[in-house]
Amino acid sequence: MIRIVLAISFILHGMPKLTNTARMAGFFGEIAPPFPYQLVLLIGFLDVVGGIQLLVGFGTQINSPLLVASKQWIRLHLNVDEQFTLEN
């Protein structure tokens, strides 16, 4: 059940990265990665394809660390702890 919920979450969060790539690249460009457009495509592809494979149960031992690593990279570069507080 948890695997299904996580898979759907990854798919739903990856689709906007693939459908609105220019807008997401502009957002990623604000956090200063070297190649924001390519990074958005890579993370969107990882989210959607990894989510589908997670949903089906195929390649979970390979995809899960990649999905976690991409989310941790985003979390570290966005400074989520500073931006999303109750005081804002």
Side-chain angles (χ1 to χ4, degrees):
M1 183 68 173
I2 293 173
R3 188 182 82 202
I4 294 170
V5 172
L6 283 174
I8 292 170
S9 175
F10 279 119
I11 293 167
L12 291 177
H13 283 96
M15 287 306 292
K17 292 178 185 86
L18 295 178
T19 56
N20 297 327
T21 307
R23 182 176 176 208
M24 292 299 292
F27 174 69
F28 273 46
E30 293 176 6
I31 59 173
F35 303 103
Y37 188 80
Q38 290 81 0
L39 186 64
V40 168
L41 288 175
L42 174 68
I43 292 175
F45 181 77
L46 276 174
D47 285 351
V48 173
V49 173
I52 291 170
Q53 289 182 339
L54 193 62
L55 184 67
V56 185
F58 178 76
T60 56
Q61 292 180 346
I62 296 170
N63 291 323
S64 295
L66 292 174
L67 291 169
V68 169
S70 71
K71 298 306 163 206
Q72 288 300 321
W73 186 89
I74 291 171
R75 187 186 68 80
L76 291 172
H77 282 78
L78 282 180
N79 296 322
V80 173
D81 297 333
E82 296 173 10
Q83 291 182 2
F84 300 104
T85 62
L86 295 175
E87 298 172 1
N88 290 344

